[in-house]
Amino acid sequence: MSFKQMIWKMAKAEYNKYLFYFLCNSFAVMFFFMFATVYFNESVVQVKQSESIQYVLTIPGVALVVFTIFFIHYAHHIFIKKRKSEFSLLMTLGMSNRDISKLLLLENAVIGLFSLIAGLLAGMIFSRLFFSLLMNQVGIEGVSFQIIGSMFLSATAAFLLVFLIVVGKSLFLILTRDPIESMKSEQIRETLTMKSPLFGGIGVAILIGSIIGLYFTYGNPVIGGDYLIFWAIATFLGLYISLLQFTSFIIELAKRSKQFYYQHILFWTNLDTKLKQLTSIFMLVTVMIMVTILYSTIILFSYMSAEKEAIAQNPFDIAFVEVDILDTSLLVQKENQLQEHISIPFYSYSQKDTYYDWTNTYTFISVDNFNKLTSRKLSLENGEFLSFINVDPEHADGYEKNILFPIESERRNFELKDTIFDKRINDVPNLGEMIIVNGNDYASLKERSDGEEATLHLVNVENWKESGPFVKKIEERLKTGADDQDVVQIASKIEDYERQRNSNGILFYVSTFLSVLFFFGSFILLYLHLFSSVEREKEKYSKLRLIGITALEMKRIMTKEIATIFFIPTTIGTTLALLYVVAMAKDIGGITKHPDILLYFFIVAGVYYVIQIGFYLFAKRKMLSEMIR
Amino acid sequence: MLMLEAKNIVKVYGELAGEGATTALGGVSFQLNKGDFIAIMGPSGSGKTTLLNILSGLDKPTSGEVIIDGNIISSLNGEQLALFRRKQLGFVFQDFNLLDSLTVKENIVVPMVLEKKSATEMEERVHELASLFDIEEILNKYPYQISGGQQQRTAVSRALVNHPSLIFADEPTGNLDSKSSTVIMECCEKIVQELSATVLLVTHDVFAASYCRKVIFIKDGLIHSSIDRKGSRKDFLNQIMDNLAILGGRTDVF
Ligand SMILES: Nc1ncnc2c1ncn2[C@@H]1O[C@H](COP(=O)(O)OP(=O)(O)OP(=O)(O)O)[C@@H](O)[C@H]1O
Ligand SMILES: [Mg+2]
């Protein structure tokens, strides 16, 4: 039997390690690819440029990169560790470091290639499957599934980059290090070189700082979202540092109290031995859980709030402006009949802006009509005017309160009496701000200037959710009368609702996709971590059994360890998600204004915990039965 | 005082009376008194390890009974047996059986930890044993940082930590050079003399066996003969070699 044949035989006998390594790498590729199918999807790209979806993709983007790098690194590490005993055997049989490197390179090239192919295939199948599932279940419009070259390219490039670095590092170590040393190194406790409470403090400070930073910048309408990526990176970094330092700090602390330390000595030394690895796992799972819960909360909230938003933004079911005399037959409906119809005449006047090259349109309304619209009892003297701004008083910040009378030639004849903030009309174009004058002034303004009079119609129907065709009909009618440049002045609950659902539809798709992806990611990671250590644990417990540990005691210790790795990340992840939810809620007026977000958060977190407990019980059982065998 | 009694131990591996069945022990009976220091010797495959495992409760006999200190081992269930073993018995293994991730000191206290002893008690006991076996300097080192002899002394300390009355050792010098073997056998002598425990060991090593008070020879799963030490260690060693020659086993003394 030649040397080559011998190696081949060994490889065949140990196909399990290869299979495991292959599956991990395929999974990483699949993960990259599935993310790419969302990131490069054209309907998503389109929305991305204009809307908040860009920001939605930020955190998972960062998390994904961190996750995959670690994941590939980890899988490789386990693979090398398992191969080490064989390598040392081969080395004693006369293989040089160079030969070992060649062998390693060959193995990795083959596995890498197969993983790439398998991962891309699986990614294609799963994202397609997931997409159809989501379409059927929720029926979102505006997203179409597609697979394009850039998805393959980016997933392949990302994977290869990480994979090459990881393999390169291993090769470097094998070629430069003393082989005996590299064989031995796995038993050594990984002690932390930079261990200090100061570092821990810095980590915690970064973590807290990033959340506070997010809280104070996210509400800013201009730059808020751009900082999100920065804060997310800071949070993850701070989390890693504090986890690492905190764990070693806890171990130190435990050592101080001898009684306590000895009592749980197996637990502590296990924690200590795997400190870095464990910290990375904690960190990644925490991040994934955080992303999952955060995004699920956002999904649930935006889905549930689409209707509320539509109602809040549109006091009337339909509002539109008619310039000509209204053809009343238009408003006659057989089904879904009109419940209420208010028509209010107003006067609109356009004038060139003093500084910019555009035209400003101003709307004037008589105080009597305004009273009719808002059920007020105001009265104005000649030469007095009111400024009406169609927003809720709570959002009044940022609006000019002391405006001058807009028509320059009339400016000296009018004086501002008051500014009124009230949300009374749908968001019809050009009707966001109005100038209110008394009847006399209204008539004389109309005479003195060359604007045009129009009528605002405010309509309520029996059931606004069914009013789609009716709105369409009015819109068509308004379009026929107007020329192309004019905006069609109509705003309705139903259209607002549908628009929200639609743009949210993509958001919904992306967020759900990411949540599910990260949800499984965290499970796979935990599972991988547990079962990669099963050999070592088995060995440890067979040693302990010889000196008289009972099965029950072993079970108890294992349970404690498994519970630790399952529930510490879940707790930290949930807490971080909550903080992020609170910070990001600033964007829509703060958590106090939308306490229902908290409700959604707790629903999501609760569901997550239930699933996590189920998975924990499953994994524990599997692990214990594996150990007892 | 009777410490251990083995009554007609039979061990058959594989299916009873099946094709692949091996009779490892064919009915072994003997007694061990308190304070005994006995070696079991015999050719490879004669059933030494099997016998030791059955006596110490690691394995169940096909038939026969083992009674230690009045307890019938085979009547105990898994949990009871584990508790009994760690309270009453001490074990030393050929491959030391130390946990890599624990320091020497931590390794020694593991049986006490399982017994939920207090920390001060543990500290005291560790220092007592460490000074007895001269491993005080290495208490905070890890197994991979110390020599085989030191590892075995650590294992011996661990075996003694819960004050067992009976110590089992399977080839305790099997992985050690002659100098370390001497140290370990001297440790065993100390156990018997100073701690007045009972020691039963299995060995191939004539030199190691010569430290004992008595050697039992087994062959093909049956007790072949036994000799007691009467004179000096040197004489006993020669006597053992003569016996092994009759038995047809390995007789190298390095
Ligand atoms: N688990 C097992 N299954 C089947 N047969 C076994 C098993 N363990 C031991 N045997 C057989 O039982 C017999 C006695 O084995 P044992 O290990 O007790 O020998 P030993 O005297 O300790 O030998 P050595 O000196 O080589 O360690 C041998 O024939 C062996 O092949
Ligand atoms: Mg043996």
Side-chain angles (χ1 to χ4, degrees), chain A residues 184 187-189 258-259 261-262 265 269 273 540 543-553, chain B residues 58 79 82 85-86 91 93 97-99 101-102 105-106 110 113-114 118-119 122-123 142 144 158:
Chain A
K184 215 176 175 181
Q187 327 172 329
I188 300 173
R189 256 189 211 186
K258 286 230 159 62
Q259 184 65 37
Y261 181 70
Y262 280 134
I265 194 162
T269 49
T273 317
K540 186 168 92 189
K543 282 180 178 176
L544 285 168
R545 208 170 298 140
L546 287 178
I547 56 173
I549 197 171
T550 65
L552 201 70
E553 283 164 341
Chain B
L58 283 174
E79 295 290 288
R85 288 180 51 239
R86 75 170 182 236
F91 295 89
F93 305 89
N97 198 38
L98 298 174
L99 297 173
S101 55
L102 267 57
K105 184 171 165 186
E106 289 165 353
V110 167
V113 169
L114 295 176
S118 78
M122 291 187 211
E123 293 277 320
Y142 289 93
Y144 60 86
R158 181 182 62 187

Side-chain angles (χ1 to χ4, degrees), chain B residues 13-14 22-24 42-51 170-171 202 204 218:
Chain B
Y13 285 115
T22 329
T23 308
S44 184
S46 56
K48 303 183 295 291
T49 300
T50 307
L51 177 62
D170 191 359
E171 309 258 12
V202 159
H204 269 125
I218 68 171

Side-chain angles (χ1 to χ4, degrees), chain B residues 6-7 14 25 30 44 158 191 217 219:
Chain B
K7 286 186 189 161
L25 295 172
F30 73 95
S44 184
R158 181 182 62 187
I191 297 171
F217 296 94
K219 190 180 180 180

Side-chain angles (χ1 to χ4, degrees), chain A residues 47-58 218 228 504 507 587:
Chain A
V47 192
K48 212 159 61 180
Q49 274 142 10
S50 57
E51 293 191 42
S52 58
I53 205 154
Q54 179 76 51
Y55 306 136
V56 172
L57 286 170
T58 309
Y218 197 71
L228 185 58
N504 278 343
L507 188 76
D587 196 28

